[in-house]
Amino acid sequence: MDVHVRDLRYFAAVAEELSFTRAAERLYVSQPALSKQIRALERQLGFPLFERRPREIALTPQGAALLPAARELAAGWAEAVRAARTAGPAESLAVGMQTAVGRELQRKVLARFRERGWRISLRLVNWEDPTAGLAGGGADAAFCWLPVPGVGAELTAKVLVREERWVALPRGHRFADRAEVAFAELLDEPFVALPRSAGPLRDFWLGTAEREGREPVVALEASSPEEVFEAVGAGLGVVLLAEGNARLYPRPDVVSVPVRGLAPSELALVWRADDDRREVAEFTAAFREAAGPAGGGDRHGGRAGQRTRQGT
Amino acid sequence: MDVHVRDLRYFAAVAEELSFTRAAERLYVSQPALSKQIRALERQLGFPLFERRPREIALTPQGAALLPAARELAAGWAEAVRAARTAGPAESLAVGMQTAVGRELQRKVLARFRERGWRISLRLVNWEDPTAGLAGGGADAAFCWLPVPGVGAELTAKVLVREERWVALPRGHRFADRAEVAFAELLDEPFVALPRSAGPLRDFWLGTAEREGREPVVALEASSPEEVFEAVGAGLGVVLLAEGNARLYPRPDVVSVPVRGLAPSELALVWRADDDRREVAEFTAAFREAAGPAGGGDRHGGRAGQRTRQGT
DNA sequence: TACGGCTATAACCGGTGGCTATGGACGTCC
DNA sequence: GGACGTCCATAGCCACCGGTTATAGCCGTA
């Protein structure tokens, strides 16, 4: 019947939450989108999956019968993809990363493994997937900014770098010449946000936790660094970013300034907790020792206080 | 990894044929579409599935490892859907049909089962699916025009009605007043065709087998009866149709005439050969006895020779 | 060398999956 | 009892995707 596996995930989520609204939140999609997809699935199947009663919903007998298969098939496929990857050349790893390119620590370790003949394929994954391909079997390890959903459960994370959050501003901005900014001063600024599907990361880079309930002003959403800087450079909004990334992406029309009053950001190496292949163990161990016990000295010199100016 | 099951079917087909061109034919899609989908799948997975060599292609080790899982996901889902349907109310059947509405035989038998309290849900399925939902678990039985791919193997068919093929013409057409037409006279007429994805049915209703290699002129494709008659009525082309359907769809601007020199069309009840549920057995048995041993006396009186005129 | 078979690319187009905004039906709370 | 809150469905909109045809490029063969 040519179903999309995504719809199976949706189905399972609604069945677990027994609520479209809650399931939609968990899946990082809007409630109408979820509603529509489930209805389409029911229509395709020819029988209802849920009984919509006021105040609550319940699985129909058919839905209950189908649920285990849906879960199992989705999980089985992800597992098969991982297994298939190991059928490729030995000592090869797929490493996902979401823009965390360029930090010294990673470069060195990756280079070392490459020299030893490993085939490390770096897969640049966009922000739609907060686990950078780990959940779906698309990667064996990933450099992710925390928080990542699933860490502590099916995923294990090792913090590599802890960096202050800075803010990127258009050149002419009234804070562009400041040595630093208090986050409280930014509360009413229009922000460039990650897409909703980025999950908790979106909130993190909007500083939601530090806003004490005040809604952020989202000027627009962007799903790649280029888009973000384009938007900031054009004066459409400002954006938080890790100190290291402020250096990494020099752009003519963008200025970055440290922000006081924000918890630091953490770049971590993440892998599947139940993945016991030698390659993964060796790879992650290399980082664990390089980063030290406490998890991540700052490899980038100059902490907050000295600011960089980018542009001509 | 949120794959679409259709892509897995595509993957399996290419793996079996070891040729994009042949697989595309088998799947009733164009070769570029298949090529693109496979590439997209490989890109999503992060590893190649096929090794493209000049003159032939081969599975990569990863592809070979993934193939069984792909097959299993596709088959497993269809099976789970069928199983789930049986979890619904007992003595209920999903019956697919592709425009074969209205023939006496079916109406009577369906009514009889309905009176006995069975829940027969008729699912009108479009022509894109030549098995009317049987293959994907969307239906337990279906009224189909032969040929249906899979009959003789995983599907069993019982011919219910054998009807001459007529041709529907726009009112002003030069054959519109004829008592009958030889198919040879129609060879150069522009035809309204079923979509390519309809599979063998497309060829059957274009009369390809009786053309002796002469390519049909396809004026346009239509994927519903309404579209077909709209097109014919507008004079865009002509179309073959079963004698019964010529009566069933009276349209002001369309005239139907018998055609000599064409094998008759056969409307069949089709079900899964391995489906041994009591409901299916009882349902199909009712038709088998009603239609008689040889498979389908013509239930519609008036055979070719007496023609109907439709319209004002 | 020309041709034929096969795959990849380009350009285009409709349907689908996502979003926001809003409606409607219940419970709940003042 | 009425206002509100909550939850699901609907409407309208837009971007992307999966399909198409046409064509280019590559290779083996006649």
Side-chain angles (χ1 to χ4, degrees), chain A residues 19-21 31-32 35 39 52:
Chain A
S19 152
F20 283 79
T21 308
Q31 168 265 318
S35 240
R39 284 210 109 80
R52 278 89 162 166

Side-chain angles (χ1 to χ4, degrees), chain B residues 33-311:
Chain B
L34 183 57
S35 238
K36 192 158 80 168
Q37 288 306 96
I38 296 290
R39 282 212 110 80
L41 181 57
E42 290 175 320
R43 182 161 167 279
Q44 182 192 13
L45 292 169
F47 51 77
L49 295 168
F50 296 99
E51 220 173 302
R52 278 89 163 166
R53 324 191 110 280
R55 217 69 204 146
E56 95 226 303
I57 62 178
L59 276 168
T60 61
Q62 296 103 317
L66 199 57
L67 181 56
R71 288 207 184 98
E72 209 229 332
L73 177 51
W77 175 249
E79 178 51 39
V81 171
R82 280 191 294 277
R85 179 165 295 110
T86 70
E91 298 188 332
S92 64
L93 276 181
V95 179
M97 41 191 303
Q98 29 190 23
T99 74
V101 278
R103 273 154 186 87
E104 273 304 301
L105 176 62
Q106 304 157 57
R107 283 211 311 105
K108 278 189 191 154
V109 176
L110 287 172
R112 209 170 78 212
F113 277 95
R114 282 236 177 74
E115 281 162 18
R116 288 168 53 193
W118 286 42
R119 313 198 194 181
I120 311 281
S121 72
L122 281 179
R123 296 175 47 68
L124 193 60
V125 53
N126 70 2
W127 294 332
E128 317 276 313
D129 181 356
T131 67
L134 282 172
D140 302 308
F143 298 106
C144 296
W145 292 98
L146 301 183
V148 171
V151 163
E154 69 270 20
L155 299 180
T156 303
K158 168 65 182 173
V159 174
L160 301 177
V161 171
R162 190 165 283 129
E163 296 183 356
E164 300 299 325
R165 277 184 277 181
W166 289 27
V167 63
L169 310 161
R171 267 176 73 78
H173 195 277
R174 69 185 194 281
F175 294 149
D177 292 325
R178 298 272 288 274
E180 67 171 21
V181 183
F183 186 56
E185 298 179 280
L186 296 173
L187 289 181
D188 291 326
E189 287 290 323
F191 268 69
V192 180
L194 272 59
R196 173 194 301 255
S197 48
L201 281 179
R202 173 184 163 112
D203 279 331
F204 181 78
W205 292 108
L206 285 172
T208 303
E210 285 87 352
R211 284 177 184 272
E212 291 162 3
R214 293 187 50 183
E215 282 300 303
V217 181
V218 175
L220 80 164
E221 300 185 348
S223 28
S224 74
E226 289 70 30
E227 281 176 45
V228 169
F229 288 112
E230 197 60 41
V232 173
L236 299 176
V238 305
V239 71
L240 299 180
L241 75 176
E243 180 191 346
N245 283 347
R247 297 207 178 74
L248 206 55
Y249 293 98
R251 294 268 306 195
D253 299 328
V254 174
V255 175
S256 293
V257 177
V259 178
R260 260 188 303 109
L262 284 177
S265 61
E266 298 175 316
L267 177 63
L269 176 64
V270 187
W271 64 96
R272 298 184 44 80
D274 63 357
D275 192 342
D276 49 7
R277 277 174 289 153
R278 177 180 63 83
E279 283 91 346
V280 176
E282 221 170 302
F283 187 73
T284 57
F287 279 97
R288 262 178 299 192
E289 94 194 20
D298 185 351
R299 310 286 299 179
H300 279 290
R303 298 185 57 82
Q306 78 189 55
R307 94 180 190 288
T308 62
R309 171 66 56 86
Q310 298 161 348

